[in-house]
Every structure is written in structure tokens, then in C-alpha cells.
């Protein structure tokens, strides 16, 4: 393989890796955004509803 062809192939690999990193970061940012929204939603619940959610989660985890 010539040096130019090998260098071009390496650039291609770097470009593909870059796209993969960007995709992972975008998924991470989406997850963080959903987490913040979930916290805001939970903060807006009345105490009785929040208690019900916590009890549901506790019962679900205990049954695993």
C-alpha cells in the first residue's frame, strides 16, 4: 500500500470514529435532557402522587 493510500485510509478511520463519538455524545445529551425533564415532572407532583410512585418503585424492586 502506498503512503498516500495508507494515510487516506487512516483519515477515513478517524472520520468514522469521529462520527461514532458524536453519535454517543448526542445519545448522552438526550439522556441527560430526559433525566432533567423527569426530575422536573417529579418535582411538580403532589406529595401523595410522589409517595405512590416511590412505593410502586420499591415494590417493583423488591419483586425482582
Amino acid at each position: 500500500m502506498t503512503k498516500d493510500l495508507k494515510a487516506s485510509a487512516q483519515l477515513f478511520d478517524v472520520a468514522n470514529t469521529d462520527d461514532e463519538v458524536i453519535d454517543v455524545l448526542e445519545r448522552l445529551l438526550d439522556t441527560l435532557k430526559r433525566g432533567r425533564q423527569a426530575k422536573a415532572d417529579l418535582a411538580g407532583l403532589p406529595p401523595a402522587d410522589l409517595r405512590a410512585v416511590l412505593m410502586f418503585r420499591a415494590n417493583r424492586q423488591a419483586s425482582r
Side-chain angles (χ1 to χ4, degrees), residues 7-18:
S8 296
Q10 288 174 336
L11 286 175
F12 191 100
D13 291 341
V14 169
N16 281 341
T17 301
D18 185 50

mmCIF file with all atom_site columns, all heavy atoms in Angstrom, residues 7-18:
data_model
loop_
_atom_site.group_PDB
_atom_site.id
_atom_site.type_symbol
_atom_site.label_atom_id
_atom_site.label_alt_id
_atom_site.label_comp_id
_atom_site.label_asym_id
_atom_site.label_entity_id
_atom_site.label_seq_id
_atom_site.pdbx_PDB_ins_code
_atom_site.Cartn_x
_atom_site.Cartn_y
_atom_site.Cartn_z
_atom_site.occupancy
_atom_site.B_iso_or_equiv
_atom_site.pdbx_formal_charge
_atom_site.auth_seq_id
_atom_site.auth_comp_id
_atom_site.auth_asym_id
_atom_site.auth_atom_id
_atom_site.pdbx_PDB_model_num
ATOM 1  N N   . ALA A 1 7  ? -2.369  6.707  4.320  1.00 0.00 ? 7  ALA A N   1
ATOM 2  C CA  . ALA A 1 7  ? -2.749  7.916  5.049  1.00 0.00 ? 7  ALA A CA  1
ATOM 3  C C   . ALA A 1 7  ? -4.225  8.231  4.825  1.00 0.00 ? 7  ALA A C   1
ATOM 4  O O   . ALA A 1 7  ? -4.938  8.610  5.762  1.00 0.00 ? 7  ALA A O   1
ATOM 5  C CB  . ALA A 1 7  ? -1.875  9.090  4.625  1.00 0.00 ? 7  ALA A CB  1
ATOM 6  N N   . SER A 1 8  ? -4.696  8.075  3.601  1.00 0.00 ? 8  SER A N   1
ATOM 7  C CA  . SER A 1 8  ? -6.111  8.317  3.302  1.00 0.00 ? 8  SER A CA  1
ATOM 8  C C   . SER A 1 8  ? -6.999  7.335  4.056  1.00 0.00 ? 8  SER A C   1
ATOM 9  O O   . SER A 1 8  ? -8.055  7.707  4.585  1.00 0.00 ? 8  SER A O   1
ATOM 10 C CB  . SER A 1 8  ? -6.372  8.203  1.809  1.00 0.00 ? 8  SER A CB  1
ATOM 11 O OG  . SER A 1 8  ? -5.681  9.209  1.120  1.00 0.00 ? 8  SER A OG  1
ATOM 12 N N   . ALA A 1 9  ? -6.580  6.080  4.122  1.00 0.00 ? 9  ALA A N   1
ATOM 13 C CA  . ALA A 1 9  ? -7.348  5.077  4.852  1.00 0.00 ? 9  ALA A CA  1
ATOM 14 C C   . ALA A 1 9  ? -7.407  5.417  6.337  1.00 0.00 ? 9  ALA A C   1
ATOM 15 O O   . ALA A 1 9  ? -8.446  5.263  6.979  1.00 0.00 ? 9  ALA A O   1
ATOM 16 C CB  . ALA A 1 9  ? -6.742  3.693  4.649  1.00 0.00 ? 9  ALA A CB  1
ATOM 17 N N   . GLN A 1 10 ? -6.299  5.908  6.886  1.00 0.00 ? 10 GLN A N   1
ATOM 18 C CA  . GLN A 1 10 ? -6.282  6.294  8.298  1.00 0.00 ? 10 GLN A CA  1
ATOM 19 C C   . GLN A 1 10 ? -7.202  7.484  8.550  1.00 0.00 ? 10 GLN A C   1
ATOM 20 O O   . GLN A 1 10 ? -7.904  7.532  9.563  1.00 0.00 ? 10 GLN A O   1
ATOM 21 C CB  . GLN A 1 10 ? -4.857  6.611  8.745  1.00 0.00 ? 10 GLN A CB  1
ATOM 22 C CG  . GLN A 1 10 ? -3.991  5.379  8.878  1.00 0.00 ? 10 GLN A CG  1
ATOM 23 C CD  . GLN A 1 10 ? -2.541  5.710  9.172  1.00 0.00 ? 10 GLN A CD  1
ATOM 24 O OE1 . GLN A 1 10 ? -2.060  6.799  8.861  1.00 0.00 ? 10 GLN A OE1 1
ATOM 25 N NE2 . GLN A 1 10 ? -1.835  4.754  9.755  1.00 0.00 ? 10 GLN A NE2 1
ATOM 26 N N   . LEU A 1 11 ? -7.220  8.442  7.629  1.00 0.00 ? 11 LEU A N   1
ATOM 27 C CA  . LEU A 1 11 ? -8.136  9.583  7.768  1.00 0.00 ? 11 LEU A CA  1
ATOM 28 C C   . LEU A 1 11 ? -9.592  9.120  7.740  1.00 0.00 ? 11 LEU A C   1
ATOM 29 O O   . LEU A 1 11 ? -10.441 9.629  8.478  1.00 0.00 ? 11 LEU A O   1
ATOM 30 C CB  . LEU A 1 11 ? -7.885  10.603 6.652  1.00 0.00 ? 11 LEU A CB  1
ATOM 31 C CG  . LEU A 1 11 ? -6.625  11.440 6.795  1.00 0.00 ? 11 LEU A CG  1
ATOM 32 C CD1 . LEU A 1 11 ? -6.439  12.317 5.550  1.00 0.00 ? 11 LEU A CD1 1
ATOM 33 C CD2 . LEU A 1 11 ? -6.671  12.294 8.041  1.00 0.00 ? 11 LEU A CD2 1
ATOM 34 N N   . PHE A 1 12 ? -9.881  8.156  6.883  1.00 0.00 ? 12 PHE A N   1
ATOM 35 C CA  . PHE A 1 12 ? -11.225 7.601  6.804  1.00 0.00 ? 12 PHE A CA  1
ATOM 36 C C   . PHE A 1 12 ? -11.608 6.969  8.143  1.00 0.00 ? 12 PHE A C   1
ATOM 37 O O   . PHE A 1 12 ? -12.714 7.168  8.652  1.00 0.00 ? 12 PHE A O   1
ATOM 38 C CB  . PHE A 1 12 ? -11.294 6.567  5.684  1.00 0.00 ? 12 PHE A CB  1
ATOM 39 C CG  . PHE A 1 12 ? -12.686 6.131  5.357  1.00 0.00 ? 12 PHE A CG  1
ATOM 40 C CD1 . PHE A 1 12 ? -13.355 6.663  4.267  1.00 0.00 ? 12 PHE A CD1 1
ATOM 41 C CD2 . PHE A 1 12 ? -13.340 5.184  6.131  1.00 0.00 ? 12 PHE A CD2 1
ATOM 42 C CE1 . PHE A 1 12 ? -14.641 6.263  3.959  1.00 0.00 ? 12 PHE A CE1 1
ATOM 43 C CE2 . PHE A 1 12 ? -14.626 4.779  5.833  1.00 0.00 ? 12 PHE A CE2 1
ATOM 44 C CZ  . PHE A 1 12 ? -15.275 5.315  4.745  1.00 0.00 ? 12 PHE A CZ  1
ATOM 45 N N   . ASP A 1 13 ? -10.680 6.213  8.733  1.00 0.00 ? 13 ASP A N   1
ATOM 46 C CA  . ASP A 1 13 ? -10.934 5.582  10.029 1.00 0.00 ? 13 ASP A CA  1
ATOM 47 C C   . ASP A 1 13 ? -11.185 6.621  11.111 1.00 0.00 ? 13 ASP A C   1
ATOM 48 O O   . ASP A 1 13 ? -12.090 6.470  11.935 1.00 0.00 ? 13 ASP A O   1
ATOM 49 C CB  . ASP A 1 13 ? -9.760  4.681  10.434 1.00 0.00 ? 13 ASP A CB  1
ATOM 50 C CG  . ASP A 1 13 ? -9.637  3.448  9.550  1.00 0.00 ? 13 ASP A CG  1
ATOM 51 O OD1 . ASP A 1 13 ? -10.628 3.099  8.871  1.00 0.00 ? 13 ASP A OD1 1
ATOM 52 O OD2 . ASP A 1 13 ? -8.547  2.853  9.531  1.00 0.00 ? 13 ASP A OD2 1
ATOM 53 N N   . VAL A 1 14 ? -10.407 7.688  11.103 1.00 0.00 ? 14 VAL A N   1
ATOM 54 C CA  . VAL A 1 14 ? -10.588 8.756  12.087 1.00 0.00 ? 14 VAL A CA  1
ATOM 55 C C   . VAL A 1 14 ? -11.942 9.424  11.894 1.00 0.00 ? 14 VAL A C   1
ATOM 56 O O   . VAL A 1 14 ? -12.657 9.696  12.864 1.00 0.00 ? 14 VAL A O   1
ATOM 57 C CB  . VAL A 1 14 ? -9.445  9.794  11.992 1.00 0.00 ? 14 VAL A CB  1
ATOM 58 C CG1 . VAL A 1 14 ? -9.759  11.042 12.812 1.00 0.00 ? 14 VAL A CG1 1
ATOM 59 C CG2 . VAL A 1 14 ? -8.133  9.174  12.457 1.00 0.00 ? 14 VAL A CG2 1
ATOM 60 N N   . ALA A 1 15 ? -12.318 9.666  10.662 1.00 0.00 ? 15 ALA A N   1
ATOM 61 C CA  . ALA A 1 15 ? -13.611 10.298 10.385 1.00 0.00 ? 15 ALA A CA  1
ATOM 62 C C   . ALA A 1 15 ? -14.752 9.422  10.870 1.00 0.00 ? 15 ALA A C   1
ATOM 63 O O   . ALA A 1 15 ? -15.728 9.914  11.450 1.00 0.00 ? 15 ALA A O   1
ATOM 64 C CB  . ALA A 1 15 ? -13.751 10.578 8.891  1.00 0.00 ? 15 ALA A CB  1
ATOM 65 N N   . ASN A 1 16 ? -14.653 8.112  10.653 1.00 0.00 ? 16 ASN A N   1
ATOM 66 C CA  . ASN A 1 16 ? -15.695 7.201  11.131 1.00 0.00 ? 16 ASN A CA  1
ATOM 67 C C   . ASN A 1 16 ? -15.751 7.184  12.651 1.00 0.00 ? 16 ASN A C   1
ATOM 68 O O   . ASN A 1 16 ? -16.832 7.168  13.242 1.00 0.00 ? 16 ASN A O   1
ATOM 69 C CB  . ASN A 1 16 ? -15.462 5.785  10.602 1.00 0.00 ? 16 ASN A CB  1
ATOM 70 C CG  . ASN A 1 16 ? -15.908 5.634  9.173  1.00 0.00 ? 16 ASN A CG  1
ATOM 71 O OD1 . ASN A 1 16 ? -16.691 6.431  8.673  1.00 0.00 ? 16 ASN A OD1 1
ATOM 72 N ND2 . ASN A 1 16 ? -15.408 4.627  8.504  1.00 0.00 ? 16 ASN A ND2 1
ATOM 73 N N   . THR A 1 17 ? -14.592 7.182  13.280 1.00 0.00 ? 17 THR A N   1
ATOM 74 C CA  . THR A 1 17 ? -14.553 7.201  14.738 1.00 0.00 ? 17 THR A CA  1
ATOM 75 C C   . THR A 1 17 ? -15.175 8.486  15.254 1.00 0.00 ? 17 THR A C   1
ATOM 76 O O   . THR A 1 17 ? -15.911 8.480  16.240 1.00 0.00 ? 17 THR A O   1
ATOM 77 C CB  . THR A 1 17 ? -13.093 7.071  15.236 1.00 0.00 ? 17 THR A CB  1
ATOM 78 O OG1 . THR A 1 17 ? -12.561 5.852  14.734 1.00 0.00 ? 17 THR A OG1 1
ATOM 79 C CG2 . THR A 1 17 ? -13.015 7.059  16.735 1.00 0.00 ? 17 THR A CG2 1
ATOM 80 N N   . ASP A 1 18 ? -14.883 9.586  14.605 1.00 0.00 ? 18 ASP A N   1
ATOM 81 C CA  . ASP A 1 18 ? -15.434 10.880 14.992 1.00 0.00 ? 18 ASP A CA  1
ATOM 82 C C   . ASP A 1 18 ? -16.963 10.830 14.948 1.00 0.00 ? 18 ASP A C   1
ATOM 83 O O   . ASP A 1 18 ? -17.633 11.306 15.865 1.00 0.00 ? 18 ASP A O   1
ATOM 84 C CB  . ASP A 1 18 ? -14.896 11.961 14.054 1.00 0.00 ? 18 ASP A CB  1
ATOM 85 C CG  . ASP A 1 18 ? -15.323 13.351 14.465 1.00 0.00 ? 18 ASP A CG  1
ATOM 86 O OD1 . ASP A 1 18 ? -15.157 13.691 15.654 1.00 0.00 ? 18 ASP A OD1 1
ATOM 87 O OD2 . ASP A 1 18 ? -15.813 14.104 13.595 1.00 0.00 ? 18 ASP A OD2 1
#
